[in-house]
Amino acid sequence: METLQSHRNLLLLLLLQFSFLQPLSYAYYLPDKYFINCGSETNEKVDTRIFVGDKRPAASFSLHAPHYTSLNAENNQNSSLLYQTAILFRSPSYYEFDIDVTGTHLVRLHFYPFSSKNTNLSTAVFNVSVTGFSLLRNFNFVPNINTKLPVIKEYLLSIHNGTFAINFIPYTEKSFAFVNAIEVFPIPENFITDEHPDITPLGGDKTYKGLLSQVLETIYRINVGGPELTPDSASDTLRRSWIPDDIYLSTPEAAEKSAAYSGSLNYRNDLGQYIAPDNVYKTAQEVNLQTKFINITWKFGVNLGVRHLVRMHFCDIVSQSTYNLEFFAYINHGWKIDLSNVSTRLAAPYYVDFVVDSGKSDDMYISVGMGNDPTYLKAVYRQAILNGLEIMEMSNISSNLKSDSKKRKNVVLMVGSVAGGVALICILIIGLLAALKCRKSKPVEIVTWSAWPGNEGSSYGRTSEGTNNASLIPNMNLGLKIPLSEIQFATNNFDKKLLVGEGGFGKVYKGVFRNNLKVAVKRSEPGSGQGLPEFQTEITILSKIRHKHLVSLIGYCDESSEMILVYEYMAKGTLRDHLYKSKLPSLSWKRRLEICIGSARGLHYLHTGSAEGIIHRDVKSTNILLDEKYIAKVADFGLSKLGHSLEQSHISTAVKGTLGYLDPDYFRYQQLTVKSDVYSFGVLLLEVLCARPAINPLLSREQASLAEWAMQWHKKGLLEQIIDPSLVGDINVNSLRKYGETAEKCLSEFGVDRPSMGDVLWDLEYALQLQVTAVHRDPHEDSATNVASELPLSNLQRIPTFSISIERDELPLLDEASGTTASQVFSQMMTDEGR
């Protein structure tokens, strides 16, 4: 109890240090840009804002849309002129703005799905992104939506001066995107600060750092105890809407009455009125002291496994004298925040901010009250109030987009193009054609990191996102840190002649240290800030694990704004290099099977080799590296997810990965599991067999997706017709049959129907054994089930994979000396002695 109380006390101190009474030294006036009246030639005045028609010439913003239509509403029930027009996009398009102020900006997107001619905007399905972040994914309109009300999406994000784009991407070739109005404008510098107390389901007294690198989407903005406040009636400088709290009260009988105040407010330290309007601070809910309840509780639906910024607004408008208002705030019935000493003046607005992790619950409970502390219950004046509440969902869904317009045109097409079915192929084709010219677009995953120890001067001493997956301070292996001077020596100061590759994170150089150790040096563009989350995740993952089939991290460097990762050198490069578009000798079928088996062993170890479990999330041929002996090693853990366990069925998270390899089940529900890796591995198996990429935009629509195309041939029993020509005559028919069966099970639409990586490993070992023995067998002996080959190939997905559990200690670690080959291990497992 003492420890818990100390945590709570520390949390209070953090609240007071980081969030209480943010001092601001200047007044704020709403800028005159950018407010866009989309699809219109006329300007419309809404309260004090002038929305400029986007069809009029403008020097400060521009529209880039190859195919668009301006629409006018028919029988529009909304009286606002802002929603009488809209712009419709049938291909990826974007607005580009000139930003002259670096800092936090507010972005609002207005959608009103009216009908016009033969178009009903309510049928639209599309994605929206801004430079570097995805805002809306597969956005559509609920059929029962109140068509009298517009849908307004509001975001806070940091924008650097220069060009800034808002991209609209139709979800399918038959769908479209639209928007009625757009707002982009800077808000006061200290409206959002970077550090806040971090409240997680597991407790703790940590500080969350890096809020300014997040996208904050407003989920709830509540005027507690007061009426609805619209942008034109609330005297809200930022033109926000505030809704009443009644429908969110979990204990409505606990609220005695809605307090109201008609006097002047006593703003402290020039606390700007833009934090919340006067009308929010002049109303409140009070605890009903005549009931059994001692707390007022509000319940809000939230997304699982997501952090939220929660801002609570207080103003003592009920006390007769100062220091009489003593109460607590509770988060999810657990964390208690002591607010007994913050009411030092009457009618003085103040607020507190904290970060809350929703964990496994899709409900968030916010309470205020006296609790059950006898000291407070016996107080002469006991009362609890709340004036306002804001909940903003945090996400750093980075697309690693470049800000220059030429690259943006390419990457815009990539942001929304996640594999989801045949209907997406057209967008995939466009995006990948662009990717052929610019291969630097790689999504990045974000994890929690505190400041770099002993390196406060680094520009990367700040955090990019918070999740509960990793923390640098307790786990960081400082023994891996390599001086920059040593890396410069090894690479001859990053000599271009030693450049061996380039990817989303940066350039890769071959290096040789003073002890003649050959290494691969992956260096991010110095000072760019791109790839920070990938850099952090890579170190977190690889400092925890070592395995023969996982690439080894030699060390890292974070000096002088550098982000450098140093790996063991893999002499034969990537698996993709040996499959297609290369002058390298073709790999034999036996060698390809051995590479697949090694990769499966590495992934199996990731999934099961620790209590935490690791999901790779970006399995593909370019992330399988080969050493001098063609031993395969899984690489690139920048998108990986820590924290999966046997008790945890999935991780709810934003969709990340590579086109053509994405698990449709993960894409559909945004629930990541180890079976997501299994699906990607199934695509990899076909890539190895057919020697063609997962998505080929130069082929017809039916052939563009390798997984769909190959499975069609497989179900016809003609898989041998599409194999790599160099393998013709090299593959044993029984080995091919088992291999195809394995790939098909990996590619099952639903994760629950897919095998584990242990099962896949077993099946591949069996396929290898069938290949190397080349002994004629009867058809029923070629599969692990006696009936497999008696059924048509189209029915193979219904047959369970025969498997044997491979224990963790059977997986060879990198520093183990084992001379047992994969085939020998399999042979032992097939005999009674081996079992």
Side-chain angles (χ1 to χ4, degrees):
M1 288 299 295
E2 291 180 358
T3 301
L4 180 58
Q5 186 60 44
S6 66
H7 288 175
R8 290 170 175 168
N9 292 339
L10 179 56
L11 180 60
L12 172 61
L13 294 175
L14 292 172
L15 279 170
L16 297 179
Q17 178 179 358
F18 296 123
S19 298
F20 174 57
L21 289 177
Q22 302 292 343
L24 298 167
S25 58
Y26 57 89
Y28 174 78
Y29 301 96
L30 191 70
D32 57 3
K33 61 180 184 180
Y34 292 99
F35 303 98
I36 312 299
N37 186 17
C38 300
S40 176
E41 294 181 351
T42 62
N43 298 345
E44 297 295 344
K45 184 176 181 180
V46 180
D47 46 68
T48 61
R49 295 166 290 176
I50 304 297
F51 284 79
V52 179
D54 62 354
K55 297 178 71 175
R56 299 170 62 114
S60 55
F61 76 91
S62 56
L63 172 62
H64 301 264
H67 303 98
Y68 75 90
T69 305
S70 297
L71 299 178
N72 293 304
E74 296 177 354
N75 300 320
N76 196 334
Q77 300 181 28
N78 193 292
S79 59
S80 173
L81 294 176
L82 201 61
Y83 304 119
Q84 302 300 317
T85 61
I87 188 167
L88 182 149
F89 306 111
R90 296 197 178 276
S91 59
S93 307
Y94 65 94
Y95 286 88
E96 189 171 57
F97 304 89
D98 292 332
I99 303 297
D100 50 17
V101 177
T102 296
T104 303
H105 285 62
L106 189 147
V107 174
R108 283 197 194 102
L109 307 174
H110 297 252
F111 304 102
Y112 186 80
F114 60 68
S115 295
S116 176
K117 297 180 180 179
N118 297 323
T119 303
N120 185 348
L121 295 182
S122 64
T123 62
V125 184
F126 55 95
N127 300 324
V128 179
S129 68
V130 297
T131 308
F133 302 95
S134 175
L135 299 184
L136 295 173
R137 296 181 301 277
N138 310 338
F139 178 63
N140 56 16
F141 296 87
V142 180
N144 295 326
I145 190 172
N146 185 345
T147 56
K148 294 183 180 180
L149 297 175
V151 176
I152 302 176
K153 295 292 186 178
E154 181 182 287
Y155 307 89
L156 295 177
L157 67 157
S158 296
I159 302 177
H160 293 282
N161 63 333
T163 57
F164 170 74
I166 300 179
N167 313 299
F168 296 87
I169 306 101
Y171 179 59
T172 71
E173 62 177 353
K174 295 182 179 180
S175 184
F176 57 88
F178 81 94
V179 64
N180 300 83
I182 298 174
E183 299 177 65
V184 180
F185 58 89
I187 60 176
E189 180 180 357
N190 289 330
F191 186 87
I192 295 291
T193 55
D194 201 51
E195 299 184 6
H196 296 281
D198 191 5
I199 300 174
T200 69
L202 300 178
D205 51 12
K206 297 181 180 179
T207 298
Y208 182 88
K209 299 181 180 180
L211 195 67
L212 293 178
S213 64
Q214 305 297 305
V215 170
L216 300 177
E217 179 182 0
T218 301
I219 306 300
Y220 300 100
R221 181 177 290 121
I222 311 297
N223 182 23
V224 179
E228 179 180 3
L229 303 176
T230 59
D232 56 350
S233 67
S235 300
D236 190 324
T237 310
L238 298 179
R239 298 303 172 189
R240 295 165 292 185
S241 296
W242 301 73
I243 62 175
D245 66 315
D246 306 64
I247 62 175
Y248 302 105
L249 279 169
S250 179
T251 56
E253 57 270 48
E256 179 180 14
K257 60 181 179 180
S258 298
Y261 180 74
S262 58
S264 299
L265 299 178
N266 300 313
Y267 283 92
R268 301 173 51 174
N269 296 333
D270 294 328
L271 182 71
Q273 296 186 36
Y274 47 77
I275 295 296
D278 285 2
N279 290 347
V280 169
Y281 290 119
K282 288 185 175 183
T283 59
Q285 287 280 18
E286 297 180 76
V287 174
N288 186 349
L289 302 179
Q290 305 304 317
T291 67
K292 63 179 180 179
F293 294 96
I294 53 179
N295 298 326
I296 306 176
T297 300
W298 293 265
K299 176 183 177 182
F300 301 94
V302 296
N303 288 324
L304 294 171
V306 180
R307 274 186 164 88
H308 297 80
L309 176 67
V310 176
R311 172 168 288 182
M312 302 178 72
H313 299 270
F314 299 98
C315 186
D316 187 356
I317 58 175
V318 299
S319 300
Q320 300 301 314
S321 60
T322 57
Y323 296 102
N324 278 341
L325 194 61
E326 300 181 351
F327 63 101
F328 296 98
Y330 297 87
I331 310 299
N332 290 332
H333 304 307
W335 278 96
K336 183 169 69 173
I337 305 167
D338 188 346
L339 298 170
S340 60
N341 294 313
V342 294
S343 180
T344 58
R345 286 200 303 171
L346 299 181
Y350 60 95
Y351 68 96
V352 291
D353 286 350
F354 39 87
V355 173
V356 179
D357 188 344
S358 60
K360 297 181 180 180
S361 174
D362 55 3
D363 290 320
M364 181 185 295
Y365 293 89
I366 307 291
S367 304
V368 293
M370 282 69 68
N372 55 6
D373 191 325
T375 303
Y376 290 95
L377 292 177
K378 294 178 182 180
V380 175
Y381 186 87
R382 57 190 184 99
Q383 185 53 274
I385 66 169
L386 180 63
N387 301 75
L389 179 68
E390 295 177 82
I391 301 177
M392 291 169 266
E393 183 174 300
M394 299 164 50
S395 64
N396 190 340
I397 311 172
S398 175
S399 304
N400 201 22
L401 303 182
K402 302 297 183 180
S403 60
D404 59 281
S405 59
K406 290 184 179 179
K407 292 183 179 179
R408 184 185 304 110
K409 292 177 182 177
N410 297 334
V411 182
V412 163
L413 307 183
M414 299 289 286
V415 175
S417 302
V418 285
V422 176
L424 261 134
I425 294 300
C426 289
I427 295 178
L428 296 175
I429 291 173
I430 297 172
L432 283 167
L433 280 173
L436 294 176
K437 299 179 181 179
C438 179
R439 298 175 56 190
K440 297 184 180 182
S441 294
K442 182 173 183 178
V444 195
E445 173 59 16
I446 318 298
V447 295
T448 302
W449 283 53
S450 302
W452 291 91
N455 192 33
E456 290 82 356
S458 172
S459 63
Y460 302 108
R462 54 183 178 82
T463 258
S464 288
E465 186 201 34
T467 71
N468 58 353
N469 294 332
S471 178
L472 177 62
I473 295 298
N475 300 321
M476 188 59 188
N477 185 352
L478 295 179
L480 294 175
K481 198 165 185 178
I482 300 175
L484 178 59
S485 58
E486 289 299 313
I487 296 176
Q488 290 173 322
F489 173 84
T491 61
N492 194 20
N493 199 21
F494 304 105
D495 190 340
K496 292 182 179 180
K497 295 180 181 179
L498 297 176
L499 186 66
V500 294
E502 190 169 356
F505 178 84
K507 297 179 179 179
V508 182
Y509 300 84
K510 180 180 179 180
V512 181
F513 281 130
R514 300 177 193 273
N515 60 358
N516 293 323
L517 175 66
K518 294 181 180 180
V519 294
V521 177
K522 187 158 65 172
R523 181 197 193 196
S524 177
E525 191 68 26
S528 69
Q530 296 289 336
L532 171 62
E534 184 181 17
F535 178 67
Q536 298 167 337
T537 304
E538 193 95 358
I539 299 173
T540 301
I541 298 292
L542 290 179
S543 62
K544 292 175 178 287
I545 55 177
R546 290 181 70 83
H547 188 270
K548 180 179 181 180
H549 294 290
L550 300 178
V551 69
S552 293
L553 179 70
I554 304 299
Y556 72 93
C557 175
D558 67 327
E559 293 180 24
S560 304
S561 298
E562 291 275 5
M563 291 189 298
I564 300 174
L565 297 168
V566 182
Y567 307 92
E568 60 176 318
Y569 182 67
M570 303 296 286
K572 298 298 183 181
T574 71
L575 172 59
R576 182 184 185 277
D577 292 338
H578 294 266
L579 294 177
Y580 47 88
K581 292 187 177 180
S582 171
K583 296 182 180 179
L584 296 174
S586 177
L587 299 173
S588 69
W589 179 239
K590 176 176 178 291
R591 174 150 285 169
R592 297 188 197 201
L593 282 173
E594 291 171 341
I595 290 170
C596 291
I597 289 169
S599 304
R601 285 189 175 277
L603 290 172
H604 180 55
Y605 178 78
L606 284 179
H607 293 174
T608 63
S610 68
E612 287 181 303
I614 299 168
I615 304 174
H616 188 278
R617 203 156 55 146
D618 200 18
V619 177
K620 56 184 178 181
S621 58
T622 53
N623 286 340
I624 306 299
L625 304 183
L626 306 175
D627 69 5
E628 290 183 353
K629 298 181 180 180
Y630 290 94
I631 294 176
K633 302 194 179 190
V634 181
D636 201 339
F637 296 85
L639 296 184
S640 299
K641 268 286 187 181
L642 275 169
H644 177 79
S645 66
L646 295 178
E647 293 77 21
Q648 186 179 8
S649 62
H650 68 269
I651 300 172
S652 295
T653 183
V655 176
K656 298 288 174 62
T658 299
L659 300 174
Y661 298 87
L662 275 175
D663 168 13
D665 212 14
Y666 169 35
F667 170 76
R668 186 182 299 111
Y669 301 111
Q670 298 186 26
Q671 294 181 348
L672 180 69
T673 72
V674 291
K675 298 299 183 69
S676 301
D677 280 352
V678 174
Y679 182 90
S680 301
F681 191 78
V683 179
L684 174 67
L685 292 179
L686 295 178
E687 195 175 359
V688 169
L689 177 66
C690 302
R692 55 148 289 187
I695 295 291
N696 189 337
L698 302 179
L699 297 177
S700 67
R701 177 174 173 176
E702 292 74 17
Q703 297 178 338
S705 170
L706 172 60
E708 294 179 6
W709 175 66
M711 285 300 98
Q712 290 173 2
W713 284 91
H714 178 61
K715 289 175 181 179
K716 297 175 184 177
L718 300 174
L719 191 59
E720 68 277 4
Q721 298 294 321
I722 61 170
I723 65 174
D724 182 353
S726 67
L727 295 177
V728 174
D730 186 29
I731 305 181
N732 175 275
V733 63
N734 298 324
S735 176
L736 177 61
R737 182 184 297 113
K738 187 60 182 175
Y739 188 89
E741 174 188 331
T742 305
E744 184 179 42
K745 291 174 182 176
C746 291
L747 294 172
S748 296
E749 181 178 3
F750 300 104
V752 68
D753 297 325
R754 298 173 202 144
S756 68
M757 283 309 304
D759 295 331
V760 174
L761 177 58
W762 170 270
D763 288 344
L764 291 175
E765 287 277 14
Y766 190 18
L768 176 62
Q769 196 70 11
L770 292 171
Q771 177 68 23
V772 296
T773 55
V775 175
H776 174 74
R777 297 172 182 264
D778 292 331
H780 70 275
E781 296 178 323
D782 295 334
S783 175
T785 59
N786 293 333
V787 297
S789 58
E790 297 177 7
L791 298 175
L793 287 174
S794 59
N795 294 326
L796 283 178
Q797 62 182 9
R798 300 187 179 93
I799 305 172
T801 301
F802 180 83
S803 65
I804 186 169
S805 175
I806 301 177
E807 299 298 330
R808 175 183 173 186
D809 57 4
E810 293 182 52
L811 300 173
L813 296 176
L814 181 68
D815 49 3
E816 284 185 350
S818 175
T820 306
T821 66
S823 298
Q824 290 171 333
V825 172
F826 180 82
S827 300
Q828 294 170 9
M829 294 165 65
M830 287 293 293
T831 64
D832 291 338
E833 293 85 343
R835 296 186 182 184

